[in-house]
């Protein structure tokens, strides 16, 4: 099928950037990104590119090139479903909060409602592309819903999971390690796969486009995230062992990563991984395994999450114990709120949990993040703990505006600017004794200690 019109349902962190690149690289295809959230669509259409709803380095340049040419953002969902030959479903798939599988299984209500809407309004054959991360065999459910449309329409379903990481999304989309496309092995399924391969081939070498059956594609996405998270929990568990033995986690990580069979990425110790996906995708994997009676497999993957919570909690405890035992000011400056640098996304950020742990001990916090808004910080804390004491939290626009009011600073996101601060000047103004708790191991230990700070990093003395 020759694709001239694409509709993407979901204008979030994946739908927005992914469709921007597809439109940029395929000027002959009209790409309409639709969403039920009209504020979000208005933000995608805002003239000032600083107001796009997603902050990603390089995104505004691509949007400014393609928007209005062949890239459009709209709330007219039905119209664009009807007019498109290919529809991407790129909506959220959070963990279920009620019903069967509560706390573990992926909630497919948004995906299913897209399928119902497509079934209700479609008048001709379409290729439906699962872009959202979903449990293995979800495409079967989508097919069931679509075929409830009694008109004799041929829907081909493809799985095309997204592997971009936030903060580097544009680079990841521009030069992906691989594009994965799963589809039916029937001749119609093969034709649908070819149509999507052609779109990606505009800029991705054919050798990097991997085609598989539907189930392999769906399961590969979940497991790729589980593998990445597993490396972080492994290195984080070793950071605690380093603290007990005198080994240095940065040296250990380097030594491990130099083994070409292991490789050096995803071996950076941290206060714990965050982001919207690692936790939910592992919970989903655990749920699937347990549902299939694979208890040992489920327990194995669940351990990754147990270590992640432990890392956040033990980092918080370090700060709390130090404040209490040294009788320090019960007020801390938190640098960073986003779950990683170069994004404004805070979903599941370790900072939220550390902040909550401190507040629960009646420790005041001042929060600074270069890209996160005050409202977001309030929302995040309220969602975790609706009764939190709001008088204990202040959001500040200048990181050092209240520096004389605390002894302690905690670094929770690895923003480059934190490394570039004039720490000597900070030391001159902060209360003494002064402490830095570096939850990202970004500062130079020797320099910071030489300035006079007491410095607590992860996995190193
Ligand atoms: P998001 O919450 O940023 O965006 C989802 C959007 O879908 C929202 O704007 C919501 O309003 C919209 N939506 C939901 N149901 C709708 C409907 N029926 N009609 C119209 N709009 C609807 O989510 P995201 O981060 O873009 O993630 C989307 C999917 O991609 C998830 O399954 C996620 O696991 C996966 N994923 C995310 C990332 C990432 O970095 N965020 C990376 C790879 C894969
Ligand atoms: C992750 C995957 O990297 C993407 O491939 C995937 O598409 C995406 O999830 C998804 O499905 O949503 P993302 O969560 O955006 O991407 O960012 P990562 O770079 O993976 O970082 C996740 C978390 O792990 C962050 O909190 C980060 O600070 C932390 N991290 C990462 C570490 O603590 N140490 C590391 O070595 C790497």
């Amino acid at each position: 099928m020759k694709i001239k019109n694409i509709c993407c349902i979901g204008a979030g962190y994946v739908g927005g950037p992914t469709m921007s690149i597809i439109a940029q690289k395929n000027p002959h295809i009209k790409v309409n990104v639709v969403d039920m959230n009209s504020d979000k669509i208005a933000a995608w259409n805002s003239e000032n590119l600083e107001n796009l709803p997603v902050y990603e380095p390089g995104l505004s340049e691509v949007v400014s090139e393609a928007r209005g040419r062949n890239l459009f953002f709209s709330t007219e969902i039905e119209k664009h479903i009807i007019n498109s030959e290919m529809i991407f479903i790129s909506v959220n798939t959070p963990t279920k909060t009620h019903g069967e599988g509560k706390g573990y299984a992926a909630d497919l209500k948004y995906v299913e409602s897209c399928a119902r809407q497509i079934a209700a309004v479609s008048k001709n054959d379409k290729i439906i592309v699962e872009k959202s991360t979903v449990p293995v065999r979800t495409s079967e459910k989508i097919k069931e819903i679509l075929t409830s449309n009694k008109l004799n329409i041929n829907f081909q379903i493809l799985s095309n999971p997204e592997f971009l990481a936030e903060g580097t999304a544009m680079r990841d989309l521009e030069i992906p390690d691989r594009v994965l496309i799963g589809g039916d092995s029937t001749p119609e399924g093969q034709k649908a796969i070819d149509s999507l391969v052609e779109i990606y081939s505009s800029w991705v070498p054919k050798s990097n486009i991997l085609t598989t059956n539907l189930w392999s594609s769906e399961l590969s996405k979940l497991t790729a995230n589980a593998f990445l998270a597993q490396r972080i929990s492994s290195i984080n568990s070793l950071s605690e062992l380093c603290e007990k033995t005198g080994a240095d986690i940065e040296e250990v990580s380097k030594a491990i990563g130099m083994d070409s069979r292991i490789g050096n990425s995803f071996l950076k110790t941290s206060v714990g991984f965050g982001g919207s996906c690692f936790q939910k995708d592992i919970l989903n994997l655990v749920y699937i395994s347990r549902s299939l009676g694979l208890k040992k497999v489920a327990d194995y993957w669940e351990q990754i999450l147990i270590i992640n919570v432990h890392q956040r909690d033990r980092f918080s405890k370090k700060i709390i114990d130090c404040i209490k035992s040294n009788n320090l000011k019960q007020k801390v400056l938190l640098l960073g709120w986003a779950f990683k640098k170069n994004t404004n996304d805070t979903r599941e950020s370790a900072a939220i949990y550390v902040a909550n742990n401190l507040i629960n001990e009646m420790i005041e916090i001042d929060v600074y993040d270069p890209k996160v808004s005050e409202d977001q910080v309030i929302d995040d804390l309220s969602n975790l703990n609706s009764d939190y004491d709001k008088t204990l939290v202040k959001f500040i626009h200048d990181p050092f505006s209240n520096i004389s009011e605390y002894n302690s600073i905690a670094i929770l996101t690895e923003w480059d600017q934190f490394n570039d601060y004039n720490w000597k000047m900070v030391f001159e103004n902060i209360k003494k004794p002064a402490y830095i708790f570096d939850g990202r191991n970004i500062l130079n230990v020797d320099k910071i200690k030489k300035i006079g700070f007491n410095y607590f990093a992860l996995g190193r003395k």
Side-chain angles (χ1 to χ4, degrees):
M1 190 189 287
K2 195 79 197 153
I3 308 298
K4 295 200 189 101
N5 298 283
I6 287 177
C7 169
C8 172
I9 310 179
Y13 282 89
V14 169
T18 311
M19 291 303 125
S20 300
I21 287 278
I22 287 188
Q24 184 202 33
K25 306 292 185 186
N26 292 278
H28 56 288
I29 300 179
K30 213 178 207 182
V31 180
N32 282 290
V33 189
V34 297
D35 203 292
M36 59 187 179
N37 180 335
S38 53
D39 289 343
K40 203 175 265 190
I41 291 298
W44 278 112
N45 283 324
S46 57
E47 264 184 44
N48 182 350
L49 293 166
E50 296 249 314
N51 296 336
L52 295 182
V54 169
Y55 171 71
E56 272 298 333
L59 172 64
S60 56
E61 288 83 344
V62 179
V63 170
S64 98
E65 181 187 333
R67 197 177 60 183
R69 179 189 72 187
N70 67 324
L71 174 67
F72 303 92
F73 295 92
S74 159
T75 50
E76 292 185 287
I77 302 177
E78 292 190 355
K79 174 177 143 191
H80 293 298
I81 291 176
I82 294 170
N83 292 339
S84 302
E85 301 88 36
M86 181 176 272
I87 300 168
F88 286 77
I89 299 180
S90 188
V91 298
N92 32 332
T93 48
T95 304
K96 279 182 91 169
T97 51
H98 54 269
E100 200 187 327
K102 175 183 166 180
Y104 282 91
D107 193 341
L108 294 177
K109 68 178 175 207
Y110 301 108
V111 170
E112 288 171 2
S113 88
C114 291
R116 272 194 295 277
Q117 210 166 1
I118 297 169
V121 303
S122 293
K123 299 187 173 71
N124 50 10
D125 295 353
K126 296 191 191 302
I127 298 170
I128 311 301
V129 185
E130 249 176 27
K131 187 53 116 178
S132 298
T133 303
V134 290
V136 55
R137 296 197 86 92
T138 297
S139 50
E140 211 165 40
K141 277 194 198 150
I142 296 181
K143 184 145 210 163
E144 230 170 74
I145 297 173
L146 290 173
T147 46
S148 67
N149 173 328
K150 299 287 181 240
L151 302 170
N152 202 11
I153 295 176
N154 178 10
F155 289 109
Q156 280 303 317
I157 301 167
L158 299 177
S159 157
N160 172 223
E162 185 48 61
F163 294 99
L164 68 79
E166 290 177 29
T168 54
M170 302 317 282
R171 195 210 68 98
D172 298 341
L173 289 166
E174 184 94 37
I175 20 176
D177 287 350
R178 78 312 210 175
V179 166
L180 180 58
I181 302 174
D184 268 349
S185 55
T186 55
E188 294 78 24
Q190 195 52 53
K191 272 193 207 151
I193 292 176
D194 291 345
S195 301
L196 189 53
V197 168
E198 195 182 323
I199 290 168
Y200 280 109
S201 302
S202 303
W203 80 98
V204 180
K206 280 254 168 62
S207 52
N208 289 28
I209 303 179
L210 178 65
T211 59
T212 64
N213 80 30
L214 276 165
W215 325 131
S216 307
S217 174
E218 289 175 337
L219 188 59
S220 299
K221 170 62 198 177
L222 280 189
T223 44
N225 273 358
F227 261 71
L228 291 170
Q230 175 261 324
R231 286 173 68 100
I232 303 169
S233 276
S234 296
I235 207 74
N236 281 346
S237 73
L238 294 178
S239 72
E240 192 172 14
L241 192 57
C242 283
E243 287 165 30
K244 295 278 183 217
T245 57
D248 181 315
I249 194 65
E250 298 300 330
E251 292 174 354
V252 172
S253 167
K254 188 166 181 191
I256 297 171
M258 281 174 77
D259 185 326
S260 60
R261 295 168 303 174
I262 297 174
N264 60 11
S265 55
F266 275 72
L267 288 183
K268 179 74 185 164
T269 194
S270 68
V271 57
F273 59 74
S276 63
C277 295
F278 280 174
Q279 176 176 294
K280 87 168 165 64
D281 292 348
I282 292 171
L283 286 169
N284 192 0
L285 191 61
V286 169
Y287 178 72
I288 294 169
S289 307
R290 224 162 251 157
S291 313
L292 295 170
L294 308 177
K295 185 180 173 307
K296 288 242 158 59
V297 176
D299 291 349
Y300 172 76
W301 290 108
E302 192 158 28
Q303 196 58 33
I304 294 170
L305 298 175
I306 293 170
I307 288 290
N308 200 46
V309 172
H310 173 64
Q311 186 78 344
R312 292 190 310 232
D313 286 349
R314 77 180 192 89
F315 183 75
S316 312
K317 189 167 179 321
K318 220 177 250 203
I319 303 173
I320 294 163
D321 288 353
C322 180
I323 289 178
K324 304 235 151 131
S325 60
N326 293 297
N327 209 12
L328 305 178
K329 185 83 200 267
Q330 299 243 86
K331 186 168 183 179
V332 178
L333 169 61
L334 299 191
L335 291 178
W337 193 261
F339 81 97
K340 63 186 283 197
K341 72 174 179 179
N342 293 337
T343 178
N344 59 348
D345 195 347
T346 64
R347 291 176 288 182
E348 287 303 321
S349 178
I352 306 169
Y353 294 92
V354 172
N356 188 50
N357 287 340
L358 298 184
I359 298 169
N360 282 340
E361 294 292 332
M362 298 307 288
I363 294 171
E364 283 179 73
I365 54 171
D366 277 1
V367 178
Y368 170 76
D369 187 287
K371 287 288 171 197
V372 175
S373 68
E374 178 168 8
D375 288 349
Q376 188 62 52
V377 171
I378 294 169
D379 263 15
D380 289 339
L381 284 170
S382 318
N383 289 339
L384 182 63
N385 171 8
S386 53
D387 302 328
Y388 85 93
D389 182 346
K390 302 197 175 40
T391 62
L392 294 174
V393 183
K394 202 185 301 148
F395 183 84
I396 51 177
H397 295 276
D398 165 0
F400 301 118
S401 46
N402 301 329
I403 192 67
S404 61
E405 295 176 17
Y406 4 72
N407 300 88
S408 318
I409 299 175
I411 298 176
L412 299 175
T413 311
E414 75 282 23
W415 286 102
D416 290 339
Q417 60 173 264
F418 299 163
N419 210 355
D420 299 339
Y421 285 158
N422 183 343
W423 287 105
K424 200 161 175 298
M425 213 155 82
V426 175
F427 184 74
E428 279 161 18
N429 294 303
I430 197 170
K431 271 186 186 301
K432 314 290 181 310
Y435 290 80
I436 293 181
F437 300 88
D438 186 351
R440 296 287 181 164
N441 281 11
I442 54 171
L443 300 185
N444 180 309
V445 186
D446 296 334
K447 266 199 207 155
I448 284 293
K449 284 190 174 168
K450 204 162 158 221
I451 291 172
F453 284 103
N454 294 292
Y455 179 67
F456 289 93
L458 293 159
R460 56 195 332 193
K461 292 276 173 210

